[in-house]
Each structure stands twice: as C-alpha cells, then as structure tokens.
Amino acid sequence: MADQMQLYEVFVRSRRGLDHKHVGSLHADDSAQALEYARDVYTRRGEGVSIWVVASRDITASQESDCESFYDPLDDKPYRHAAMYELPEGVDSL
Amino acid sequence: MDKANVSETEERTFQARIDAEEKIEPKDWMPEKYRRNLIRQISQHAHSEVIGEQPEGNWITRAPSLERKAILMAKVQDEAGHGLYLYAAAETLGVTREELIDRLHTGASKYASIFNYPSLTWADIGAIGWLVDSAAIVNQVSLQNTSYGPYARAMVRICKEESFHQRQGYNIMMTLMKGAKLQREMAQDALDRWWWPSLMMFGPHDGESAHSAQSMKWKIKRRSNDDLRQQFVDQAVQQAEAIGLVVPDPDLKWNDARGHYDFGAIDWQEFERVISGNGPCNRQRLAHHKNAHDEGAWVREAMAAHEAKQRSKARDVA
C-alpha cells in the first residue's frame, strides 16, 4: 500500500576508512526521509561521518538455519588456513 | 569564488585530509590525476591477480597428490576472488569492468611482469607461492594504509587470505628439499628462475620510478620500491637457508652496518623487455584471457536473458 511507510536498514560509517556498519532500522516514506531520520535516530552523538539507508525489501539475505547446506562444501578445507602448514625451525616471517 | 578558486580550495582540503592520514572515500572530491592514478594502479593489481591464475592453473591437473591439487585449486580460486575485490574497488572510481578488461586486452593496462614467465615444473608452483606471494604480501601489507578507503579495505581482506598462499608454496619447497636429489635439484632450479623476476616485482629503483613521487605524496603508495624490495630479500634469504636452498646471487652478503642483505644488480633490460610485451609468455597470457572472455560471452548473455525473463514474469504477476 502506498500510504504505508517502508522499512529501511541503516548503516553508519563511524570514521573515514572504515566500512559502513549496520546499526538498525527505521520507518520512512522515502529514502531521503530515511536518511534524515537515521541521522536523528542513530547519530545524535557524533557516531558517524556517513550514513547509508537501504530499503529492507531490497536486501536478499541467506538464513542461518540454512548454514549446513549453504556452506557445506566450504567447511572441510583446513588447507585454506595458514596454520595448517608447519614451518621449519628459525623461520617466523611467513 | 570562481571555478579555479573552488578547485584550489578543494585541492587544499584534499591534501590536508591525506596529510592527516584520513582516508579518501568514493564520493569525496579528488583531483582528476589522483583518480586516474588510482584506477591505473588498482586495475593493474586486479589484472595481476587474474593473469596470475594462469601459470598456477597450468599445474592443477598435474599436481602430485589429491591434497596438493585441492590446495592449488583453493589458491587459484582465492586469486580470482582477489581480482574481484580489486575490480570492485576500481569501479568505485567511476570506471566500468568492461573498460578495465578492454584496457587489459589492448595492452593499455599492464599486469605484474612476473606472470609472463612459464611454470615449467611442479617446483615452480612452490616457488610462485613462496616468492611471488611473499613479494605481493610485502607490498600489500604496506597498501593496507593506502589513502583510498575502498583500496585499503580490499588490501586488508586480501592480506588475511594471502598468508595461506605463501605457506603452501614454501611447504612445497620444503617437502622437495627433504626428498631425493632430483627433487632437491628441481626446487633449486625453480628458485634460480624465479628469484630475479621476484625482485623485479617491486618495480624500478626509486629514482627511476615514473609514478612514485606523486603516489607517495598522495599516499597511494606508502613505502618506496627499494624499501619493500629490501624487506623481501631479508626475509626470503633466511627462508631459503632454513631449507637448504641457495639464492642465485653471488653478490648476496649480509651487511652488518646496514642491518640488511646487500644484493646484486637487477637486469633492468630484461624487466623492460618483459613488461613491454616481449617476455616468454606475454602473448600466450593475453590470448588465453581474451579467449576465455570471448568463450564466456554466451554465459553472460544467457544470464542476462534469464534475468529479463524473471523480471517480465514478475511484472505479469503484479
């Protein structure tokens, strides 16, 4: 329905150089309004230098309950971790 | 204020930000040259990751055991992923993936010259992982502090994944060095061929490097070519000795006063020859990439057609 507000997810970059991080969500009529609301709701104490808002319905997410099948082929590969390879005596900078 | 004054003010703000060790983010104002310089460096980096899959991919079907094969596949898969992180970082600067690939194919954009050497034996897979990835890590660790935010963050992610690469390579060398005479000779031969090209990976000497001074001022680069190369040599010599390999450089000698190894002169003519397109495998590498790209066209088209169909279905339902 057009007259119902949409849910937006809010991401805040706390400092230059860092990723935007999810901080929560809010309702708004459009993205410009969501941005202003996000400023007022989530960054009242200088929590960030930049905000992203994304309509929640535009987010496609995997489910934790599907982990087993979703990540299945990735879990049995210990060789992807550096710790699997032993180093000889005296070598430490690898 | 007129236009010239505006951009002068912006340029001052920009440099002040860099001097204060703050990151530049995609929507910030930045000098056009900074943008172009970054696109050049990040895309060369991305192309290197992707072209680098070829010498290693060459040995996947011939790996000496199922475990080594699985490891090598995982490594090559990582390289493809690293290429993707980097292309995505370059795209935040307003260039498209298609343009970047096109520049690779026309030769306008380069990639690390070391991937123009052939991988002749299984030991080369060890040497590549150990030396080439170590050299890449030395460079990439310093780039974690580069001034452009998306590039810096891609570097953090890549470095985390990269340590397995050098260790698996070193492990191959170590295993060969514990083997029969022929195996030890194979490992030494691989080191002999890959050592000097690895040193060239850091680029020309500081005084000769075309882009270095400006890149350092903008903090795109954080440490000089020679500085990084020295760190690599110091580490690699110790690692070679620990498993009984001999670095193929008669001038290599520990210098107590400097606290570093002195090493012999690099053959810059060879570097020039290879980087300008006349190394042992340049044509093959590019032809293979073009071919794979062209042969994959039908997949991209089929995916676009599928997308269009799904969208029209969704419209019909609505």
Side-chain angles (χ1 to χ4, degrees):
Chain A
M1 275 186 293
D3 58 353
Q4 209 164 37
M5 287 204 283
Q6 277 194 58
L7 190 62
Y8 283 86
E9 301 299 326
V10 181
F11 300 80
V12 172
R13 160 176 284 152
S14 58
R15 190 157 55 75
R16 278 174 173 277
L18 299 183
D19 293 302
H20 283 80
K21 231 173 146 178
H22 187 244
V23 290
S25 48
L26 47 74
H27 284 117
D29 282 312
D30 58 38
S31 50
Q33 194 184 57
L35 204 54
E36 291 186 354
Y37 286 173
R39 174 196 62 198
D40 298 343
V41 175
Y42 290 106
T43 60
R44 286 192 306 276
R45 290 172 184 79
E47 284 90 341
V49 294
S50 162
I51 301 173
W52 283 351
V53 289
V54 183
S56 307
R57 59 156 191 234
D58 289 338
I59 291 179
T60 309
S62 71
Q63 296 301 318
E64 209 176 319
S65 53
D66 298 339
C67 267
E68 211 174 313
S69 58
F70 195 65
Y71 293 109
D72 178 43
L74 307 176
D75 279 344
D76 58 352
K77 296 180 170 55
Y79 48 80
R80 282 205 173 112
H81 300 273
M84 196 191 89
Y85 306 89
E86 277 177 35
L87 296 175
E89 198 92 2
V91 173
D92 47 17
S93 55
L94 266 170
Chain B
M1 277 199 291
D2 61 27
K3 219 176 154 196
N5 280 337
V6 172
S7 80
E8 212 173 280
T9 316
E10 279 171 330
E11 184 129 19
R12 259 204 306 277
T13 315
F14 170 83
Q15 190 61 48
R17 199 165 258 166
I18 293 208
D19 294 342
E21 292 291 326
E22 282 183 19
K23 300 293 180 216
I24 305 301
E25 295 294 349
K27 301 207 164 168
D28 293 340
W29 184 90
M30 60 186 85
E32 198 43 40
K33 273 190 181 162
Y34 176 84
R35 183 190 302 276
R36 280 207 303 270
N37 200 333
L38 266 175
I39 291 175
R40 182 187 55 78
Q41 181 169 331
I42 302 174
S43 64
Q44 284 183 11
H45 200 158
H47 298 329
S48 303
E49 300 281 356
V50 171
I51 295 289
E53 291 172 64
Q54 289 187 42
E56 298 194 293
N58 183 32
W59 279 91
I60 288 177
T61 58
R62 294 175 289 168
S65 70
L66 186 57
E67 189 187 34
R68 291 289 188 199
K69 182 175 181 167
I71 292 171
L72 186 53
M73 280 200 290
K75 179 181 191 289
V76 172
Q77 186 186 21
D78 274 358
E79 305 300 358
H82 295 174
L84 194 66
Y85 301 160
L86 287 159
Y87 282 125
E91 284 160 32
T92 63
L93 292 157
V95 63
T96 65
R97 184 81 51 99
E98 290 72 19
E99 286 173 279
L100 296 173
I101 301 296
D102 191 56
R103 285 179 204 171
L104 170 67
H105 288 171
T106 60
S109 183
K110 307 250 186 273
Y111 55 87
S113 68
I114 195 154
F115 298 120
N116 292 312
Y117 293 84
S119 50
L120 302 176
T121 72
W122 171 251
D124 287 23
I125 300 309
I128 292 172
W130 168 39
L131 297 172
V132 180
D133 286 85
S134 287
I137 290 173
V138 166
N139 188 34
Q140 288 170 168
V141 165
S142 86
L143 287 174
Q144 291 182 121
N145 292 317
T146 188
S147 59
Y148 188 55
Y151 192 23
R153 292 190 287 275
M155 282 301 110
V156 172
R157 207 157 286 135
I158 287 176
C159 285
K160 237 183 247 167
E161 298 181 356
E162 198 91 61
S163 64
F164 131 61
H165 295 181
Q166 58 172 179
R167 283 217 190 184
Q168 66 83 35
Y170 190 64
N171 186 271
I172 290 173
M173 296 304 253
M174 192 170 86
T175 308
L176 287 169
M177 290 307 287
K178 285 183 192 156
K181 184 163 171 282
L182 270 177
Q183 289 170 306
R184 295 198 301 274
E185 285 170 1
M186 194 163 90
Q188 182 63 51
D189 168 64
L191 171 60
D192 291 350
R193 284 179 291 109
W194 289 92
W195 175 256
W196 291 104
S198 298
L199 296 198
M200 293 174 198
M201 278 180 75
F202 296 95
H205 287 308
D206 297 343
E208 322 268 315
S209 179
H211 306 280
S212 273
Q214 185 61 68
S215 287
M216 293 288 270
K217 182 171 175 248
W218 279 333
K219 299 190 180 173
I220 293 175
K221 280 178 75 149
R222 300 312 308 262
R223 289 173 62 197
S224 79
N225 293 355
D226 285 327
D227 194 17
L228 294 165
R229 183 163 24 234
Q230 182 72 60
Q231 186 191 332
F232 169 76
V233 170
D234 292 347
Q235 290 174 2
V237 169
Q238 182 219 15
Q239 290 156 6
E241 282 172 357
I243 55 175
L245 285 164
V246 181
V247 173
D249 177 358
D251 298 323
L252 187 78
K253 202 168 157 256
W254 178 254
N255 183 327
D256 229 1
R258 288 202 312 130
H260 292 291
Y261 280 96
D262 290 336
F263 52 95
I266 292 167
D267 181 354
W268 293 112
Q269 276 178 335
E270 175 178 332
F271 177 73
E272 277 307 318
R273 194 169 63 239
V274 177
I275 199 87
S276 59
N278 295 309
C281 301
N282 296 57
R283 289 172 192 80
Q284 182 188 335
R285 298 288 185 244
L286 272 186
H288 184 83
H289 192 279
K290 272 186 210 153
N291 200 26
H293 192 70
D294 293 345
E295 283 184 356
W298 71 271
V299 179
R300 297 189 291 276
E301 284 158 19
M303 287 173 74
H306 177 73
E307 269 307 304
K309 194 171 164 189
Q310 294 301 316
R311 267 201 303 276
S312 82
K313 266 193 200 163
R315 257 203 314 277
D316 290 347
V317 171

